[in-house]
Amino acid sequence: MATEARKQSGIVETVKTIVYALLIAGIFRSLFFQPFWIPSGSMKDTLLIGDFLFVNKMAYGYSYASCPSVRMPQFGINIDATDICGVFDGDNTRLFGSEPDRGDVVVFRHPTTGFDFIKRLVGLPGDRIQVKAGVLNINGEPVKLEDGGIFEELAGPQGPQGLRPRCENGPVGDGGKCLKSRQIETLPGGVSHPILNIGRQGSDDTGVYTVPAGHFFFMGDNRDNSTDSRVPQVARGVGYVPFENLIGRADRIMFSSAGRSMFAFWTWRSDRFFKAVK
């Protein structure tokens, strides 16, 4: 009997340990840092498909969007942040809130789909944003641009989703050189970062967007391959993002893999480990 009791006690202690570990991990993820894996090429070459980073959730304070969403469709799990913290949704305020800076790379909750997006903040409340011939204009003034050379990558499937890059040098077969023009863009306030160009398209010439109070305007650094605030929400774009939808700031890449799986060590990009996000 004593042996059986010890076995049951051991099982209970193991379960308690697992539950406590999950609770601690959940609190840590909700309050401090959230892991984020880059799934697409919309932020090249600042962020590449397969970069893994932790999002600083303390940077802008806390809102309903700070609660984690858990989506594991293969197991039938779809827990949304609103299921946990929906009571705090709707007032566009934050606890210990801090305004983001222009040029921050931000993870935010899409205003309509609820999925996490990562883009660069280019427009603050009250700003007038327009793109003319591929050049970002803020409050009637074009941003400073300098030549940044050529961005080169191999054509072919990238990341777990097998996404293929678009190339400025036309359709390129697998294994060929996929090229894009690169410029260094400097935003008002002094943040400089690379942007990529693939070719002229509709998003290179837009109307004027006036950012509403309490909202922000985001764009991807891979300008011709990014669904962002240039596309309104009614057209399945991002549109203006409310302050409460910000999750946190991307500060540093912790790990990076160019392959279909993070376990394929021969595809690891060791030169990107612990690289600062600028």
Side-chain angles (χ1 to χ4, degrees), residues 21-88:
L22 291 173
L23 285 173
I24 292 171
I27 293 171
F28 184 86
R29 180 177 174 181
S30 297
L31 296 180
F32 303 111
F33 297 96
Q34 176 175 317
F36 191 86
W37 189 278
I38 303 301
S40 74
S42 69
M43 283 295 292
K44 292 177 181 177
D45 65 336
T46 302
L47 297 171
L48 303 181
I49 295 175
D51 283 348
F52 178 81
L53 49 85
F54 282 101
V55 179
N56 181 356
K57 303 183 82 167
M58 298 176 284
Y60 311 130
Y62 303 95
S63 71
Y64 86 96
S66 301
C67 286
S69 295
V70 182
R71 306 182 194 277
M72 301 174 67
Q74 64 271 35
F75 299 109
I77 297 175
N78 186 16
I79 302 173
D80 190 79
T82 54
D83 297 329
I84 306 171
C85 297
V87 66
F88 303 111

Short mmCIF file of all heavy atoms in Angstrom, two decimals, residues 21-88:
data_model
loop_
_atom_site.label_atom_id
_atom_site.label_comp_id
_atom_site.label_asym_id
_atom_site.label_seq_id
_atom_site.Cartn_x
_atom_site.Cartn_y
_atom_site.Cartn_z
N ALA A 21 5.07 24.90 -14.42
CA ALA A 21 5.97 25.33 -15.49
C ALA A 21 5.20 26.03 -16.61
O ALA A 21 5.65 27.06 -17.15
CB ALA A 21 6.74 24.13 -16.04
N LEU A 22 4.04 25.47 -16.96
CA LEU A 22 3.21 26.08 -18.01
C LEU A 22 2.69 27.44 -17.57
O LEU A 22 2.64 28.39 -18.36
CB LEU A 22 2.05 25.16 -18.38
CG LEU A 22 2.42 23.87 -19.11
CD1 LEU A 22 1.20 22.97 -19.28
CD2 LEU A 22 3.03 24.19 -20.47
N LEU A 23 2.30 27.56 -16.30
CA LEU A 23 1.82 28.84 -15.78
C LEU A 23 2.92 29.89 -15.80
O LEU A 23 2.70 31.04 -16.21
CB LEU A 23 1.29 28.67 -14.35
CG LEU A 23 -0.07 27.99 -14.21
CD1 LEU A 23 -0.39 27.74 -12.73
CD2 LEU A 23 -1.17 28.83 -14.83
N ILE A 24 4.11 29.50 -15.37
CA ILE A 24 5.23 30.44 -15.37
C ILE A 24 5.57 30.86 -16.79
O ILE A 24 5.81 32.04 -17.07
CB ILE A 24 6.47 29.80 -14.68
CG1 ILE A 24 6.19 29.61 -13.18
CG2 ILE A 24 7.71 30.66 -14.90
CD1 ILE A 24 7.25 28.80 -12.47
N ALA A 25 5.58 29.89 -17.73
CA ALA A 25 5.88 30.21 -19.12
C ALA A 25 4.81 31.14 -19.70
O ALA A 25 5.13 32.08 -20.45
CB ALA A 25 5.96 28.92 -19.95
N GLY A 26 3.54 30.89 -19.35
CA GLY A 26 2.46 31.74 -19.83
C GLY A 26 2.56 33.16 -19.30
O GLY A 26 2.36 34.13 -20.05
N ILE A 27 2.90 33.30 -18.03
CA ILE A 27 3.06 34.63 -17.43
C ILE A 27 4.25 35.34 -18.07
O ILE A 27 4.18 36.53 -18.41
CB ILE A 27 3.24 34.52 -15.91
CG1 ILE A 27 1.93 34.01 -15.26
CG2 ILE A 27 3.64 35.86 -15.31
CD1 ILE A 27 2.08 33.67 -13.79
N PHE A 28 5.35 34.62 -18.25
CA PHE A 28 6.55 35.21 -18.85
C PHE A 28 6.24 35.70 -20.27
O PHE A 28 6.62 36.82 -20.64
CB PHE A 28 7.67 34.16 -18.90
CG PHE A 28 8.97 34.68 -19.42
CD1 PHE A 28 9.88 35.29 -18.57
CD2 PHE A 28 9.30 34.55 -20.76
CE1 PHE A 28 11.08 35.79 -19.06
CE2 PHE A 28 10.50 35.03 -21.25
CZ PHE A 28 11.39 35.65 -20.40
N ARG A 29 5.52 34.87 -21.03
CA ARG A 29 5.20 35.25 -22.41
C ARG A 29 4.22 36.42 -22.44
O ARG A 29 4.29 37.27 -23.32
CB ARG A 29 4.62 34.06 -23.15
CG ARG A 29 4.27 34.37 -24.60
CD ARG A 29 3.76 33.17 -25.35
NE ARG A 29 3.32 33.56 -26.68
CZ ARG A 29 2.80 32.74 -27.56
NH1 ARG A 29 2.66 31.47 -27.28
NH2 ARG A 29 2.42 33.18 -28.75
N SER A 30 3.30 36.48 -21.49
CA SER A 30 2.30 37.54 -21.48
C SER A 30 2.89 38.88 -21.08
O SER A 30 2.48 39.92 -21.58
CB SER A 30 1.15 37.18 -20.53
OG SER A 30 0.47 36.02 -20.97
N LEU A 31 3.86 38.86 -20.17
CA LEU A 31 4.36 40.11 -19.58
C LEU A 31 5.68 40.59 -20.13
O LEU A 31 5.93 41.80 -20.16
CB LEU A 31 4.48 39.95 -18.06
CG LEU A 31 3.18 39.69 -17.29
CD1 LEU A 31 3.48 39.57 -15.81
CD2 LEU A 31 2.18 40.81 -17.54
N PHE A 32 6.55 39.71 -20.57
CA PHE A 32 7.92 40.13 -20.87
C PHE A 32 8.31 39.94 -22.34
O PHE A 32 8.51 40.90 -23.06
CB PHE A 32 8.89 39.40 -19.94
CG PHE A 32 8.60 39.62 -18.48
CD1 PHE A 32 8.13 38.58 -17.69
CD2 PHE A 32 8.77 40.87 -17.91
CE1 PHE A 32 7.85 38.78 -16.36
CE2 PHE A 32 8.49 41.08 -16.58
CZ PHE A 32 8.03 40.03 -15.79
N PHE A 33 8.45 38.70 -22.76
CA PHE A 33 8.93 38.44 -24.12
C PHE A 33 8.10 37.35 -24.78
O PHE A 33 7.76 36.35 -24.16
CB PHE A 33 10.41 38.01 -24.10
CG PHE A 33 11.33 39.06 -23.57
CD1 PHE A 33 11.72 39.04 -22.24
CD2 PHE A 33 11.80 40.07 -24.38
CE1 PHE A 33 12.57 40.02 -21.74
CE2 PHE A 33 12.65 41.05 -23.90
CZ PHE A 33 13.04 41.02 -22.56
N GLN A 34 7.79 37.58 -26.08
CA GLN A 34 7.03 36.60 -26.85
C GLN A 34 7.87 36.12 -28.02
O GLN A 34 8.41 36.94 -28.77
CB GLN A 34 5.74 37.22 -27.37
CG GLN A 34 4.93 36.29 -28.28
CD GLN A 34 3.60 36.90 -28.68
OE1 GLN A 34 2.92 37.48 -27.84
NE2 GLN A 34 3.24 36.77 -29.95
N PRO A 35 8.01 34.81 -28.20
CA PRO A 35 8.78 34.31 -29.35
C PRO A 35 8.04 34.59 -30.65
O PRO A 35 6.81 34.56 -30.71
CB PRO A 35 8.89 32.81 -29.07
CG PRO A 35 7.72 32.49 -28.20
CD PRO A 35 7.48 33.71 -27.36
N PHE A 36 8.80 34.88 -31.69
CA PHE A 36 8.19 35.15 -33.00
C PHE A 36 9.11 34.62 -34.09
O PHE A 36 10.29 34.95 -34.13
CB PHE A 36 7.96 36.66 -33.18
CG PHE A 36 7.10 37.01 -34.36
CD1 PHE A 36 5.71 37.03 -34.25
CD2 PHE A 36 7.66 37.31 -35.59
CE1 PHE A 36 4.91 37.34 -35.33
CE2 PHE A 36 6.87 37.61 -36.69
CZ PHE A 36 5.49 37.63 -36.55
N TRP A 37 8.56 33.83 -34.98
CA TRP A 37 9.29 33.23 -36.09
C TRP A 37 8.87 33.95 -37.36
O TRP A 37 7.68 34.07 -37.65
CB TRP A 37 8.96 31.75 -36.18
CG TRP A 37 9.82 30.98 -37.14
CD1 TRP A 37 9.66 30.89 -38.49
CD2 TRP A 37 10.97 30.22 -36.82
NE1 TRP A 37 10.64 30.12 -39.05
CE2 TRP A 37 11.47 29.68 -38.04
CE3 TRP A 37 11.65 29.92 -35.64
CZ2 TRP A 37 12.59 28.87 -38.10
CZ3 TRP A 37 12.76 29.11 -35.71
CH2 TRP A 37 13.22 28.60 -36.92
N ILE A 38 9.83 34.45 -38.14
CA ILE A 38 9.50 35.21 -39.35
C ILE A 38 9.06 34.25 -40.45
O ILE A 38 9.84 33.44 -40.94
CB ILE A 38 10.73 36.03 -39.82
CG1 ILE A 38 11.21 36.97 -38.72
CG2 ILE A 38 10.37 36.81 -41.08
CD1 ILE A 38 10.19 37.97 -38.24
N PRO A 39 7.77 34.34 -40.86
CA PRO A 39 7.24 33.37 -41.82
C PRO A 39 7.32 33.81 -43.28
O PRO A 39 7.19 32.99 -44.18
CB PRO A 39 5.78 33.26 -41.39
CG PRO A 39 5.44 34.64 -40.89
CD PRO A 39 6.71 35.19 -40.28
N SER A 40 7.49 35.13 -43.52
CA SER A 40 7.43 35.63 -44.90
C SER A 40 8.58 36.60 -45.16
O SER A 40 9.32 36.97 -44.25
CB SER A 40 6.08 36.33 -45.16
OG SER A 40 6.05 37.59 -44.52
N GLY A 41 8.68 37.05 -46.42
CA GLY A 41 9.78 37.91 -46.80
C GLY A 41 9.45 39.38 -46.83
O GLY A 41 10.18 40.16 -47.45
N SER A 42 8.37 39.81 -46.18
CA SER A 42 7.94 41.21 -46.29
C SER A 42 8.89 42.20 -45.62
O SER A 42 8.81 43.40 -45.87
CB SER A 42 6.53 41.37 -45.69
OG SER A 42 6.55 41.20 -44.29
N MET A 43 9.79 41.72 -44.75
CA MET A 43 10.72 42.62 -44.06
C MET A 43 12.17 42.41 -44.50
O MET A 43 13.09 42.88 -43.83
CB MET A 43 10.59 42.44 -42.55
CG MET A 43 9.38 43.12 -41.94
SD MET A 43 9.44 44.92 -42.09
CE MET A 43 10.81 45.30 -40.98
N LYS A 44 12.40 41.71 -45.61
CA LYS A 44 13.76 41.58 -46.12
C LYS A 44 14.32 42.96 -46.43
O LYS A 44 13.60 43.84 -46.87
CB LYS A 44 13.79 40.73 -47.39
CG LYS A 44 13.45 39.27 -47.21
CD LYS A 44 13.44 38.56 -48.56
CE LYS A 44 13.08 37.08 -48.40
NZ LYS A 44 13.01 36.39 -49.71
N ASP A 45 15.66 43.23 -46.28
CA ASP A 45 16.57 42.23 -45.75
C ASP A 45 16.86 42.47 -44.27
O ASP A 45 17.81 41.89 -43.72
CB ASP A 45 17.84 42.18 -46.57
CG ASP A 45 18.68 43.48 -46.49
OD1 ASP A 45 18.13 44.54 -46.19
OD2 ASP A 45 19.88 43.41 -46.75
N THR A 46 16.03 43.30 -43.63
CA THR A 46 16.15 43.49 -42.19
C THR A 46 15.88 42.18 -41.47
O THR A 46 16.63 41.79 -40.56
CB THR A 46 15.16 44.57 -41.70
OG1 THR A 46 15.41 45.79 -42.39
CG2 THR A 46 15.28 44.79 -40.20
N LEU A 47 14.82 41.50 -41.87
CA LEU A 47 14.45 40.21 -41.31
C LEU A 47 14.25 39.22 -42.45
O LEU A 47 13.57 39.54 -43.44
CB LEU A 47 13.16 40.32 -40.48
CG LEU A 47 13.23 41.24 -39.25
CD1 LEU A 47 11.85 41.43 -38.65
CD2 LEU A 47 14.18 40.69 -38.21
N LEU A 48 14.81 38.04 -42.31
CA LEU A 48 14.71 37.01 -43.33
C LEU A 48 13.77 35.90 -42.88
O LEU A 48 13.58 35.69 -41.67
CB LEU A 48 16.09 36.42 -43.63
CG LEU A 48 17.18 37.39 -44.07
CD1 LEU A 48 18.48 36.63 -44.34
CD2 LEU A 48 16.76 38.18 -45.31
N ILE A 49 13.19 35.21 -43.83
CA ILE A 49 12.38 34.03 -43.50
C ILE A 49 13.25 33.06 -42.70
O ILE A 49 14.36 32.72 -43.10
CB ILE A 49 11.86 33.35 -44.78
CG1 ILE A 49 10.90 34.28 -45.53
CG2 ILE A 49 11.18 32.03 -44.45
CD1 ILE A 49 10.44 33.71 -46.87
N GLY A 50 12.74 32.63 -41.56
CA GLY A 50 13.50 31.72 -40.70
C GLY A 50 14.22 32.39 -39.56
O GLY A 50 14.79 31.71 -38.71
N ASP A 51 14.20 33.74 -39.49
CA ASP A 51 14.74 34.42 -38.32
C ASP A 51 13.82 34.16 -37.13
O ASP A 51 12.58 34.17 -37.26
CB ASP A 51 14.83 35.93 -38.55
CG ASP A 51 16.00 36.32 -39.42
OD1 ASP A 51 16.88 35.48 -39.66
OD2 ASP A 51 16.05 37.50 -39.85
N PHE A 52 14.41 33.95 -35.97
CA PHE A 52 13.65 33.72 -34.74
C PHE A 52 14.05 34.79 -33.75
O PHE A 52 15.24 35.02 -33.51
CB PHE A 52 13.95 32.33 -34.17
CG PHE A 52 13.25 32.03 -32.87
CD1 PHE A 52 11.93 31.61 -32.87
CD2 PHE A 52 13.90 32.18 -31.66
CE1 PHE A 52 11.27 31.33 -31.68
CE2 PHE A 52 13.26 31.91 -30.46
CZ PHE A 52 11.93 31.48 -30.48
N LEU A 53 13.06 35.46 -33.19
CA LEU A 53 13.36 36.55 -32.26
C LEU A 53 12.37 36.54 -31.10
O LEU A 53 11.34 35.86 -31.14
CB LEU A 53 13.33 37.89 -32.99
CG LEU A 53 12.12 38.21 -33.90
CD1 LEU A 53 10.97 38.80 -33.10
CD2 LEU A 53 12.53 39.16 -35.00
N PHE A 54 12.71 37.29 -30.07
CA PHE A 54 11.80 37.52 -28.96
C PHE A 54 11.32 38.96 -29.01
O PHE A 54 12.11 39.88 -29.18
CB PHE A 54 12.49 37.24 -27.61
CG PHE A 54 12.61 35.78 -27.28
CD1 PHE A 54 13.79 35.10 -27.48
CD2 PHE A 54 11.51 35.08 -26.79
CE1 PHE A 54 13.90 33.75 -27.18
CE2 PHE A 54 11.61 33.73 -26.49
CZ PHE A 54 12.81 33.07 -26.70
N VAL A 55 10.01 39.14 -28.87
CA VAL A 55 9.41 40.46 -28.94
C VAL A 55 9.36 41.05 -27.53
O VAL A 55 8.85 40.42 -26.59
CB VAL A 55 7.98 40.37 -29.51
CG1 VAL A 55 7.33 41.73 -29.56
CG2 VAL A 55 8.01 39.73 -30.89
N ASN A 56 9.89 42.25 -27.38
CA ASN A 56 9.90 42.94 -26.10
C ASN A 56 8.51 43.51 -25.81
O ASN A 56 8.13 44.54 -26.36
CB ASN A 56 10.96 44.04 -26.13
CG ASN A 56 11.06 44.80 -24.81
OD1 ASN A 56 10.29 44.57 -23.89
ND2 ASN A 56 12.00 45.71 -24.73
N LYS A 57 7.76 42.85 -24.94
CA LYS A 57 6.39 43.26 -24.66
C LYS A 57 6.32 44.37 -23.61
O LYS A 57 5.25 44.95 -23.38
CB LYS A 57 5.55 42.06 -24.21
CG LYS A 57 5.56 40.94 -25.23
CD LYS A 57 4.69 39.78 -24.83
CE LYS A 57 3.24 40.01 -25.16
NZ LYS A 57 2.43 38.78 -25.05
N MET A 58 7.45 44.69 -23.00
CA MET A 58 7.47 45.77 -22.01
C MET A 58 7.63 47.14 -22.68
O MET A 58 7.43 48.17 -22.05
CB MET A 58 8.63 45.55 -21.03
CG MET A 58 8.52 44.27 -20.23
SD MET A 58 9.97 43.99 -19.16
CE MET A 58 11.18 43.46 -20.39
N ALA A 59 8.01 47.15 -23.98
CA ALA A 59 8.37 48.40 -24.65
C ALA A 59 7.22 49.40 -24.69
O ALA A 59 7.44 50.61 -24.53
CB ALA A 59 8.86 48.10 -26.07
N TYR A 60 5.98 48.92 -24.93
CA TYR A 60 4.85 49.83 -25.10
C TYR A 60 3.76 49.65 -24.05
O TYR A 60 2.65 50.17 -24.21
CB TYR A 60 4.23 49.63 -26.50
CG TYR A 60 5.23 49.64 -27.62
CD1 TYR A 60 5.25 48.62 -28.57
CD2 TYR A 60 6.18 50.65 -27.74
CE1 TYR A 60 6.17 48.61 -29.61
CE2 TYR A 60 7.10 50.66 -28.77
CZ TYR A 60 7.10 49.63 -29.70
OH TYR A 60 8.02 49.63 -30.72
N GLY A 61 4.05 48.90 -23.00
CA GLY A 61 3.01 48.65 -22.01
C GLY A 61 2.11 47.49 -22.43
O GLY A 61 2.45 46.74 -23.36
N TYR A 62 0.95 47.39 -21.81
CA TYR A 62 0.14 46.19 -21.96
C TYR A 62 -1.31 46.54 -22.34
O TYR A 62 -1.88 47.53 -21.88
CB TYR A 62 0.15 45.39 -20.66
CG TYR A 62 1.56 45.02 -20.24
CD1 TYR A 62 2.25 45.80 -19.31
CD2 TYR A 62 2.21 43.93 -20.79
CE1 TYR A 62 3.55 45.49 -18.95
CE2 TYR A 62 3.50 43.60 -20.43
CZ TYR A 62 4.17 44.39 -19.51
OH TYR A 62 5.46 44.08 -19.16
N SER A 63 -1.88 45.67 -23.17
CA SER A 63 -3.28 45.77 -23.56
C SER A 63 -3.82 44.36 -23.73
O SER A 63 -3.11 43.38 -23.46
CB SER A 63 -3.42 46.54 -24.88
OG SER A 63 -2.92 45.76 -25.96
N TYR A 64 -5.02 44.23 -24.23
CA TYR A 64 -5.58 42.89 -24.46
C TYR A 64 -4.69 42.09 -25.41
O TYR A 64 -4.59 40.86 -25.30
CB TYR A 64 -7.00 43.00 -25.02
CG TYR A 64 -7.05 43.13 -26.53
CD1 TYR A 64 -7.24 42.01 -27.34
CD2 TYR A 64 -6.86 44.37 -27.15
CE1 TYR A 64 -7.26 42.13 -28.72
CE2 TYR A 64 -6.87 44.48 -28.51
CZ TYR A 64 -7.08 43.36 -29.30
OH TYR A 64 -7.08 43.47 -30.66
N ALA A 65 -4.03 42.78 -26.36
CA ALA A 65 -3.20 42.09 -27.34
C ALA A 65 -1.94 41.49 -26.71
O ALA A 65 -1.26 40.69 -27.36
CB ALA A 65 -2.81 43.05 -28.46
N SER A 66 -1.63 41.87 -25.48
CA SER A 66 -0.46 41.30 -24.81
C SER A 66 -0.70 39.86 -24.39
O SER A 66 0.26 39.11 -24.17
CB SER A 66 -0.11 42.14 -23.56
OG SER A 66 0.17 43.48 -23.91
N CYS A 67 -1.96 39.47 -24.29
CA CYS A 67 -2.26 38.08 -23.97
C CYS A 67 -1.95 37.22 -25.20
O CYS A 67 -2.24 37.61 -26.33
CB CYS A 67 -3.74 37.92 -23.60
SG CYS A 67 -4.13 38.55 -21.96
N PRO A 68 -1.34 36.06 -25.00
CA PRO A 68 -0.93 35.25 -26.14
C PRO A 68 -2.11 34.57 -26.83
O PRO A 68 -3.11 34.22 -26.19
CB PRO A 68 -0.01 34.21 -25.51
CG PRO A 68 -0.48 34.09 -24.10
CD PRO A 68 -0.93 35.47 -23.71
N SER A 69 -1.99 34.42 -28.13
CA SER A 69 -2.90 33.57 -28.90
C SER A 69 -2.19 32.24 -29.14
O SER A 69 -1.00 32.22 -29.42
CB SER A 69 -3.26 34.21 -30.25
OG SER A 69 -3.99 35.41 -30.07
N VAL A 70 -2.92 31.16 -29.01
CA VAL A 70 -2.34 29.83 -29.21
C VAL A 70 -3.08 29.18 -30.37
O VAL A 70 -4.25 28.81 -30.25
CB VAL A 70 -2.45 28.96 -27.94
CG1 VAL A 70 -1.80 27.61 -28.19
CG2 VAL A 70 -1.81 29.66 -26.75
N ARG A 71 -2.40 29.04 -31.51
CA ARG A 71 -3.02 28.48 -32.71
C ARG A 71 -2.26 27.24 -33.13
O ARG A 71 -1.12 27.33 -33.60
CB ARG A 71 -3.04 29.52 -33.83
CG ARG A 71 -3.70 30.84 -33.44
CD ARG A 71 -3.74 31.81 -34.61
NE ARG A 71 -4.05 33.16 -34.21
CZ ARG A 71 -5.28 33.62 -33.99
NH1 ARG A 71 -6.32 32.80 -34.18
NH2 ARG A 71 -5.49 34.86 -33.62
N MET A 72 -2.87 26.08 -32.96
CA MET A 72 -2.28 24.81 -33.37
C MET A 72 -3.36 24.02 -34.10
O MET A 72 -3.98 23.12 -33.56
CB MET A 72 -1.77 24.04 -32.15
CG MET A 72 -0.72 24.81 -31.34
SD MET A 72 -0.23 23.98 -29.81
CE MET A 72 0.61 22.53 -30.48
N PRO A 73 -3.62 24.41 -35.38
CA PRO A 73 -4.74 23.80 -36.11
C PRO A 73 -4.62 22.29 -36.25
O PRO A 73 -5.64 21.59 -36.33
CB PRO A 73 -4.67 24.50 -37.48
CG PRO A 73 -3.30 25.08 -37.57
CD PRO A 73 -2.90 25.40 -36.17
N GLN A 74 -3.38 21.77 -36.27
CA GLN A 74 -3.22 20.33 -36.41
C GLN A 74 -3.77 19.56 -35.21
O GLN A 74 -4.05 18.37 -35.30
CB GLN A 74 -1.74 19.96 -36.64
CG GLN A 74 -0.81 20.29 -35.48
CD GLN A 74 -0.23 21.69 -35.56
OE1 GLN A 74 -0.91 22.61 -36.00
NE2 GLN A 74 1.01 21.85 -35.13
N PHE A 75 -3.90 20.28 -34.08
CA PHE A 75 -4.46 19.67 -32.87
C PHE A 75 -5.84 20.24 -32.53
O PHE A 75 -6.38 19.96 -31.46
CB PHE A 75 -3.52 19.88 -31.68
CG PHE A 75 -2.15 19.28 -31.87
CD1 PHE A 75 -1.04 20.08 -32.07
CD2 PHE A 75 -1.98 17.90 -31.87
CE1 PHE A 75 0.22 19.53 -32.24
CE2 PHE A 75 -0.73 17.34 -32.05
CZ PHE A 75 0.37 18.14 -32.24
N GLY A 76 -6.38 21.05 -33.42
CA GLY A 76 -7.69 21.64 -33.19
C GLY A 76 -7.69 22.71 -32.12
O GLY A 76 -8.75 23.00 -31.54
N ILE A 77 -6.53 23.33 -31.87
CA ILE A 77 -6.42 24.36 -30.83
C ILE A 77 -6.38 25.74 -31.49
O ILE A 77 -5.55 25.99 -32.37
CB ILE A 77 -5.15 24.16 -29.98
CG1 ILE A 77 -5.22 22.81 -29.25
CG2 ILE A 77 -5.00 25.30 -28.98
CD1 ILE A 77 -3.95 22.48 -28.48
N ASN A 78 -7.30 26.60 -31.11
CA ASN A 78 -7.35 27.97 -31.65
C ASN A 78 -7.83 28.90 -30.54
O ASN A 78 -8.99 29.30 -30.49
CB ASN A 78 -8.26 28.05 -32.87
CG ASN A 78 -8.21 29.42 -33.52
OD1 ASN A 78 -7.31 30.22 -33.26
ND2 ASN A 78 -9.19 29.70 -34.37
N ILE A 79 -6.91 29.24 -29.65
CA ILE A 79 -7.23 30.12 -28.53
C ILE A 79 -6.75 31.52 -28.89
O ILE A 79 -5.56 31.76 -29.08
CB ILE A 79 -6.56 29.65 -27.23
CG1 ILE A 79 -7.00 28.22 -26.89
CG2 ILE A 79 -6.89 30.59 -26.08
CD1 ILE A 79 -6.26 27.61 -25.71
N ASP A 80 -7.68 32.46 -29.00
CA ASP A 80 -7.35 33.82 -29.40
C ASP A 80 -7.13 34.68 -28.16
O ASP A 80 -7.65 34.40 -27.08
CB ASP A 80 -8.48 34.40 -30.24
CG ASP A 80 -8.10 35.71 -30.88
OD1 ASP A 80 -7.38 35.67 -31.91
OD2 ASP A 80 -8.49 36.76 -30.37
N ALA A 81 -6.33 35.76 -28.34
CA ALA A 81 -6.09 36.69 -27.23
C ALA A 81 -7.39 37.24 -26.67
O ALA A 81 -7.51 37.48 -25.45
CB ALA A 81 -5.18 37.83 -27.69
N THR A 82 -8.40 37.43 -27.53
CA THR A 82 -9.68 37.96 -27.05
C THR A 82 -10.42 36.95 -26.19
O THR A 82 -11.26 37.33 -25.37
CB THR A 82 -10.56 38.39 -28.23
OG1 THR A 82 -10.71 37.28 -29.14
CG2 THR A 82 -9.95 39.56 -28.97
N ASP A 83 -10.12 35.65 -26.37
CA ASP A 83 -10.75 34.64 -25.52
C ASP A 83 -10.27 34.74 -24.09
O ASP A 83 -10.98 34.35 -23.15
CB ASP A 83 -10.44 33.23 -26.06
CG ASP A 83 -11.00 32.99 -27.45
OD1 ASP A 83 -12.05 33.58 -27.76
OD2 ASP A 83 -10.39 32.23 -28.22
N ILE A 84 -9.05 35.24 -23.92
CA ILE A 84 -8.46 35.34 -22.59
C ILE A 84 -8.62 36.74 -22.01
O ILE A 84 -8.99 36.90 -20.84
CB ILE A 84 -6.95 34.98 -22.64
CG1 ILE A 84 -6.76 33.60 -23.29
CG2 ILE A 84 -6.33 35.01 -21.25
CD1 ILE A 84 -5.31 33.27 -23.59
N CYS A 85 -8.37 37.75 -22.83
CA CYS A 85 -8.33 39.13 -22.33
C CYS A 85 -9.29 40.04 -23.09
O CYS A 85 -9.08 41.26 -23.13
CB CYS A 85 -6.91 39.68 -22.44
SG CYS A 85 -5.71 38.79 -21.43
N GLY A 86 -10.31 39.48 -23.71
CA GLY A 86 -11.25 40.27 -24.50
C GLY A 86 -11.97 41.35 -23.72
O GLY A 86 -12.41 42.35 -24.30
N VAL A 87 -12.05 41.19 -22.41
CA VAL A 87 -12.74 42.19 -21.59
C VAL A 87 -12.03 43.53 -21.65
O VAL A 87 -12.63 44.58 -21.41
CB VAL A 87 -12.85 41.70 -20.12
CG1 VAL A 87 -11.47 41.59 -19.49
CG2 VAL A 87 -13.74 42.61 -19.30
N PHE A 88 -10.72 43.53 -22.00
CA PHE A 88 -9.95 44.77 -22.06
C PHE A 88 -9.90 45.36 -23.46
O PHE A 88 -9.26 46.38 -23.68
CB PHE A 88 -8.52 44.51 -21.57
CG PHE A 88 -8.45 43.94 -20.18
CD1 PHE A 88 -8.03 42.64 -19.98
CD2 PHE A 88 -8.82 44.70 -19.08
CE1 PHE A 88 -7.96 42.10 -18.70
CE2 PHE A 88 -8.76 44.17 -17.80
CZ PHE A 88 -8.33 42.87 -17.61
#
